[in-house]
Amino acid sequence: MSQHDILETVHRVHFTGIGGSGMCPLAEILLSLGYEVSGSDDYASDNLKRMQSLGIAVSLPLAAGNADHAELVVYTAAIPADHPELASAAAKGIPLMERAVFLGLLTRRYPRTVSVAGTHGKTGTTSMLSQILLKAELDPSIFIGGRLPLINANGRAGKSEWMVSEACEFLDHYLNMKTSVAVILNVDADHLDYFGDLDGVVASFKKFAEGAEQCVVANADDAPTLRAVADIPPEKLITYGRDITCDWSAQNVGTHDGAFGEYDLYHKGEFFTHIRLGVPGAHNVHNSMAAAAAAFLCGATAEQIAVGLATFGGAGRRFEFLGKAAGITVADDYAHHPTEITTTLTAAKALPYRRVWAVFQPFTYSRTKRLLNEFAEALSLADEALVCDILGSREKDAGDVSSADITALMQNGRYLPTFEDVIAYLKENAADGDLVLTMGGGNVYKCAQQYLKTLQE
């Protein structure tokens, strides 16, 4: 049986690490396609609760035997191939498939696909695009690395010919995907343990762009993106940016309600529609242009694009407001790279809060060590920054970097190892009118949830 045929011949699929943001949408899509889905994970999470609420049997923790009933096992790159759960399934002759390869197979089931890539902003932009298409009743299939509140899910199987997918550059994973329309939001120096340097990242995005069957939608205001698409034929390249000469451009840019973008969207130099965003931050002006350009290619009208963007209030873990109690607002964001932290804190500081607290959980030792100064500089934008211990994820602690190394470079930074330490400090020091914003690629959202609960109590 070839990999390409496997989805036609199996019915029972097990996801090892089902709670991951790149795994649960795949499980949701397969479930809605009629497959029998199960999963396992080492950590309880909101994603895991949602999987269980859908009727998916979930085993905790990962262990030999969990997947032995399946006809196919999908696993994440964070889980070693010799893990007992995978080894046990392999010994029984059950095929194993890495998540990115499986996503690639899934995209091949759809005649037309939009793959949204970029070092930053993938989840938010994929969510914006999905919101537009769903509100327009165009019925797309969707794969997002965060929860879309409109459907309270990361993924869905639609009945149209279009599949909209977040496309991740990590380990060149997006090169597995079938891509009709490639969207490139930005290209930045990240995952350098794999790419080496920015040139390596640009070269990867160049391959991604060249694989697009129909066209490439590219951010003309981002120099590394322009390098990545330099060899794309003009008839296949669609640009967006602030300059009126772009295919899609934002003119007369302003804000409403304090920090929410508002602008006139132009297409090929002609007024297209007026956009009022439901999410804060100047970066979302660019992201919304990318979403609008892709939605137009999928068949959305000017009015439908405006409505979709106006009603989009953010994706899960992307500047997600969790609640307010005792006069303190608590929000959470996935920002785990200095550029993302800078973008998020800049947006937060534009909002009318007395003080902005950043609670940061560094994600992976290698990134923390390489970008130590950049993390300190980005976090310095907050009025107060609390940094807890690094979450190693797939890496082991070599003992050569710690969160205290970040705060040692800051005037406004404080190292507090655990979530309990952070919450205790906030209880003593945060006050009415403050915004407490947790940030990181790991499970720091749990700190935000626990802190909000203590405020409510």
Side-chain angles (χ1 to χ4, degrees):
M1 183 193 332
S2 78
Q3 282 193 335
H4 292 288
D5 298 332
I6 200 165
L7 283 174
E8 307 301 326
T9 57
V10 304
H11 182 67
R12 298 189 305 277
V13 182
H14 181 88
F15 291 84
T16 297
I18 195 170
S21 61
M23 290 287 273
C24 59
L26 295 175
E28 289 173 274
I29 291 170
L30 273 205
L31 190 68
S32 57
L33 287 172
Y35 288 80
E36 184 180 315
V37 178
S38 62
S40 56
D41 213 300
D42 275 337
Y43 306 103
S45 65
D46 289 350
N47 284 343
L48 223 58
K49 288 178 190 170
R50 194 167 74 255
M51 295 297 97
Q52 291 168 318
S53 75
L54 295 173
I56 295 174
V58 177
S59 305
L60 277 166
L62 303 185
N66 282 346
D68 289 0
H69 65 284
E71 296 169 309
L72 172 67
V73 177
V74 181
Y75 65 96
T76 74
I79 296 169
D82 61 354
H83 189 283
E85 179 163 310
L86 300 181
S88 173
K92 288 186 161 48
I94 301 168
L96 307 180
M97 189 176 292
E98 201 278 324
R99 181 205 68 84
V101 176
F102 184 80
L103 173 59
L105 288 189
L106 202 56
T107 60
R108 285 171 174 79
R109 292 176 66 100
Y110 295 88
R112 307 181 79 183
T113 58
V114 181
S115 301
V116 181
T119 313
H120 318 294
K122 293 183 289 290
T123 298
T125 307
T126 309
S127 298
M128 282 182 184
L129 172 57
S130 300
Q131 180 100 1
I132 295 168
L133 300 183
L134 289 168
K135 283 283 186 181
E137 299 183 350
L138 294 173
D139 200 19
S141 295
I142 295 169
F143 170 88
I144 314 175
R147 179 179 52 83
L148 180 63
L150 183 65
I151 57 173
N152 193 34
N154 296 46
R156 77 185 290 269
K159 292 186 171 58
S160 78
E161 65 179 359
W162 285 101
M163 181 176 184
V164 173
S165 302
E166 187 170 327
C168 184
E169 76 276 13
F170 176 64
L171 300 180
D172 284 322
H173 279 166
Y174 53 10
L175 300 185
N176 289 290
M177 299 168 67
K178 173 196 170 180
T179 297
S180 306
V181 177
V183 179
I184 302 181
L185 306 172
N186 45 64
V187 178
D188 199 356
D190 197 12
H191 304 302
L192 298 186
D193 51 331
Y194 176 73
F195 292 118
D197 54 20
L198 180 59
D199 288 343
V201 185
V202 170
S204 173
F205 275 91
K206 183 176 186 291
K207 287 180 192 170
F208 170 70
E210 289 170 346
E213 297 170 355
Q214 181 179 337
C215 61
V216 180
V217 177
N219 181 358
D221 294 337
D222 184 64
T225 296
L226 291 179
R227 286 174 55 200
V229 300
D231 295 332
I232 298 298
E235 64 274 14
K236 285 187 69 175
L237 183 62
I238 297 170
T239 58
Y240 68 91
R242 295 295 291 272
D243 196 289
I244 193 72
T245 59
C246 294
D247 295 299
W248 294 88
S249 70
Q251 302 299 313
N252 308 313
V253 178
T255 59
H256 68 93
D257 297 329
F260 296 82
E262 181 173 7
Y263 63 94
D264 292 327
L265 179 62
Y266 276 67
H267 182 218
K268 297 189 181 298
E270 300 289 332
F271 176 78
F272 184 74
T273 191
H274 184 71
I275 300 295
R276 277 171 65 92
L277 296 177
V279 285
H283 62 292
N284 278 317
V285 170
H286 270 86
N287 291 346
S288 64
M289 281 191 281
F296 183 73
L297 292 168
C298 295
T301 66
E303 182 183 359
Q304 289 168 339
I305 289 167
V307 168
L309 291 174
T311 57
F312 176 69
R317 297 221 61 214
R318 271 63 182 183
F319 212 142
E320 181 179 12
F321 289 94
L322 302 180
K324 183 176 181 180
I328 299 169
T329 301
V330 181
D332 175 62
D333 194 272
Y334 191 71
H336 58 286
H337 183 280
T339 302
E340 295 164 352
I341 293 168
T342 298
T343 299
T344 300
L345 287 177
T346 300
K349 291 286 284 182
L351 296 170
Y353 293 104
R354 191 177 75 94
R355 287 184 301 176
V356 173
W357 293 76
V359 177
F360 180 55
Q361 179 192 46
F363 190 64
T364 73
Y365 299 104
S366 60
R367 181 187 281 120
T368 306
K369 184 178 179 182
R370 184 178 287 110
L371 300 174
L372 207 61
N373 291 320
E374 290 86 348
F375 277 124
E377 184 179 352
L379 289 165
S380 294
L381 290 170
D383 296 296
E384 305 280 349
L386 311 179
V387 185
C388 49
D389 279 335
I390 300 166
L391 185 70
S393 182
R394 57 190 175 270
E395 298 179 346
K396 289 190 166 51
D397 184 4
D400 56 356
V401 67
S402 91
S403 293
D405 296 332
I406 299 174
T407 55
L409 298 169
M410 301 171 61
Q411 296 290 322
N412 62 331
R414 182 178 294 269
Y415 168 53
L416 297 169
T418 69
F419 294 166
E420 291 75 17
D421 296 330
V422 169
I423 291 168
Y425 189 82
L426 287 170
K427 284 168 72 175
E428 291 295 321
N429 295 281
D432 187 3
D434 288 357
L435 169 68
V436 173
L437 178 60
T438 55
M439 293 187 291
N443 62 349
V444 71
Y445 67 89
K446 291 185 177 181
C447 181
Q449 293 171 342
Q450 291 163 16
Y451 175 57
L452 181 59
K453 190 175 178 183
T454 64
L455 288 176
Q456 292 166 338
E457 289 170 351

